[in-house]
DNA sequence: GTGACTCAGGCTGTATACAGGTTGCATCAC
DNA sequence: GTGATGCAACCTGTATACAGCCTGAGTCAC
């Protein structure tokens, strides 16, 4: 593995785990020493993380760990809904590959299994992976590299991704009902794409993202569950320091 | 100005003007010599251009000038329509700053003036700048940095931008009718945002982007007008080498 | 006590040297 | 003539040296 990629992955981990605090300046020499690489690959890694959004370029040069206002995450999730709606609409209008749809249906079954009460902790973990895969397949079904790239950029922020709040749901009381609704959305969007119901497919994915918005609000008022959100430490909450 | 920024701008120009051919490999030493800089800033510039999409990373390392299939541009324009529709909807739902809307209305008047027959060549040039500004203000009206950033990324490709095909229209016969329709969209979306008609605002911007899609098809079958599209040389046409 | 100024440390931006890997051409065997 | 092989040139990834700039602490004047 290249030093650049290694630095990128390890830095991302340090940031998302909260080991590097939001606002903290990341000087190239200090990061280089910490990661045991030279400045050149560290700089390249910082540029890529800036593109992802985890790190912000300082006007006078250099980078600092980024933080996110609740409103920004709200907007990012809603934007994901619009983009996934766009993808679902394209898939319905243009027709999706049969293999992709078949695999989406297989995932539906496995997600049902993982979330059959009583749900174990492993069940939630499985669901997170299956859910992420389902959303990837939806993008694939649209058959557009341009759209896939754009969605990939929005989803790069972990709390804007389709699975960002699922693990936190595990400790939230209303979690099971939310999962039932989410699964219904999944099922319905596959059906809509199959039947070439473009408007329905689009509306479903928009509404689907709203579940994440609701989870965001719930999680932000529950310290314990917030800890389960990857990158949750980067969120600036309203009325907090 | 930094060497990196200078290299980025000059490389972009070389690519969009066609001086560097699509598919051509851009080795760091050769580019560095051509631009009179060292490899370090050239590499940084290439990374940024790769993010923009003008340049593509080669799996085994290095970069090459990118090219675009007609379908990709089609998709990029439709995606822009969806994103601008999203912005217009947000502006209508949340309310846009009065100053922004006032300036949009002022631009409407100036665009009308620039396109009053007989339209001079300068008229078209003015219209391009005014139109670009109008679309920027629309994004501003949404009041979301997340959305603004995302739209900025789609619009980075010149032929996906709102003004990508306007200059080419100047030599196309149906140009004036298209401009009339485009202006009607502009006027209507301002009205929709003012009246908080979110669904209407969104639908209008989607339809607005379709004008660019139509122009794309017209331009692709007219060599003369294609030359007026910035970056047109990067477009791979169906059934062409 | 407060504000401006100076200076030192550190940082970024840039250039360049070096090692490992890849590519493509030429040559050789069949 | 064709395919495999070896070599040479080149290129990327990385480390590091150097210059200019910024920042922040400490000091001095008022």
């Amino acid at each position: 593995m290249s030093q650049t990629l290694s630095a990128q992955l390890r830095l991302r981990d340090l940031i998302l785990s909260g080991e590097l605090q939001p606002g903290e300046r990341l000087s190239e020499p200090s990061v280089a020493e910490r990661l045991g690489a030279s400045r050149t690959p560290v700089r390249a890694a910082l540029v890529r993380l800036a593109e992802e959004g985890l790190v912000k370029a300082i006007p006078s040069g250099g980078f600092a760990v980024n933080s996110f206002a609740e409103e920004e995450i709200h907007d990012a999730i809603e934007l994901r809904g619009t983009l996934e709606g766009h993808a679902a609409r394209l898939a319905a209008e243009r027709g999706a590959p049969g293999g992709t749809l078949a695999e989406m249906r297989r995932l539906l079954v496995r997600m049902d299994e993982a979330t059959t009460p009583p749900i174990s902790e492993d069940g939630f973990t499985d669901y997170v992976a299956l859910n992420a895969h389902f959303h990837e397949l939806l993008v694939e079904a649209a058959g557009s590299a341009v759209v896939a790239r754009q969605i990939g950029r929005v989803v790069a922020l972990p709390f804007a991704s389709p699975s960002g709040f699922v693990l936190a749901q595990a400790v939230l009381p209303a979690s099971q009902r939310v999962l039932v609704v989410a699964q219904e959305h999944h099922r319905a969007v596959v059906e809509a794409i199959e039947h070439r119901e473009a408007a329905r497919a689009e509306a479903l994915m928009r509404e689907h993202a709203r579940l994440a918005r609701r989870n965001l609000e719930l999680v932000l008022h529950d310290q314990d569950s917030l800890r389960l959100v990857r990158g949750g430490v980067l969120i600036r909450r309203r009325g907090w320091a």
Side-chain angles (χ1 to χ4, degrees), chain A:
Chain A
M1 190 194 308
S2 76
Q3 295 279 38
T4 300
L5 186 56
S6 158
Q8 187 183 349
L9 296 178
R10 284 193 286 164
L11 259 181
R12 178 157 50 200
D13 224 56
L14 289 172
I15 292 170
L16 291 178
S17 70
E19 216 159 320
L20 294 169
Q21 299 224 339
E24 185 175 345
R25 181 163 187 176
L26 298 175
S27 84
E28 291 168 19
S30 66
V31 173
E33 191 190 14
R34 181 165 196 159
L35 301 183
S38 78
R39 276 181 58 207
T40 307
V42 165
R43 166 175 275 258
L46 284 168
V47 168
R48 296 195 186 173
L49 290 173
E51 190 188 334
E52 273 181 39
L54 289 184
V55 140
K56 214 174 82 178
I58 298 172
S60 63
F63 299 90
V65 179
N66 210 350
S67 65
F68 300 87
E70 187 176 337
E71 290 80 7
E72 286 179 84
I73 299 174
H74 214 265
D75 285 0
I77 293 173
E78 183 148 354
L79 185 55
R80 169 168 66 83
T82 293
L83 287 171
E84 289 187 335
H86 183 88
R89 173 170 64 81
L90 284 189
E93 285 172 353
R94 304 179 178 179
T100 306
L101 283 175
E103 190 161 356
M104 288 173 87
R105 272 195 300 266
R106 276 196 294 277
L107 283 176
L108 284 176
V109 174
R110 291 176 60 193
M111 285 193 271
D112 275 338
E113 289 166 3
T115 54
T116 302
I119 311 179
S120 67
E121 203 168 315
D122 280 355
F124 263 105
T125 312
D126 287 350
Y127 181 82
V128 168
L130 295 167
N131 181 56
H133 193 190
F134 182 90
H135 281 258
E136 283 164 17
L137 286 173
L138 174 76
V139 173
E140 184 184 308
S144 166
V146 172
V147 171
R149 185 171 167 175
Q150 206 64 218
I151 291 181
R153 283 171 165 170
V154 174
V155 167
L157 257 35
F159 28 73
S161 85
S163 308
F165 296 99
V166 176
L167 264 186
Q169 275 176 242
V171 300
L172 253 35
S175 60
Q176 299 207 356
R177 285 178 59 192
V178 172
L179 281 185
V180 169
V181 177
Q183 271 291 77
E184 178 58 24
H185 287 159
H186 290 155
R187 227 185 310 276
V189 81
V190 171
E191 185 182 301
I193 292 172
E194 277 175 341
H195 296 177
R196 316 296 284 262
E197 298 162 335
R200 181 184 171 207
E202 176 166 16
L204 277 165
M205 290 316 294
R206 288 198 181 191
E207 194 59 30
H208 189 59
R210 300 245 163 179
L211 292 179
R213 280 181 41 173
R214 199 198 303 172
N215 283 334
L216 168 68
E217 280 151 28
L218 291 174
V219 164
L220 284 182
H221 296 93
D222 182 320
Q223 274 288 8
D224 285 340
S225 62
L226 183 55
R227 275 196 214 98
L228 293 173
V229 177
R230 187 161 165 78
V233 289
L234 302 179
I235 303 179
R236 290 197 308 271
R237 285 181 292 177
R238 261 195 283 261
W240 292 61

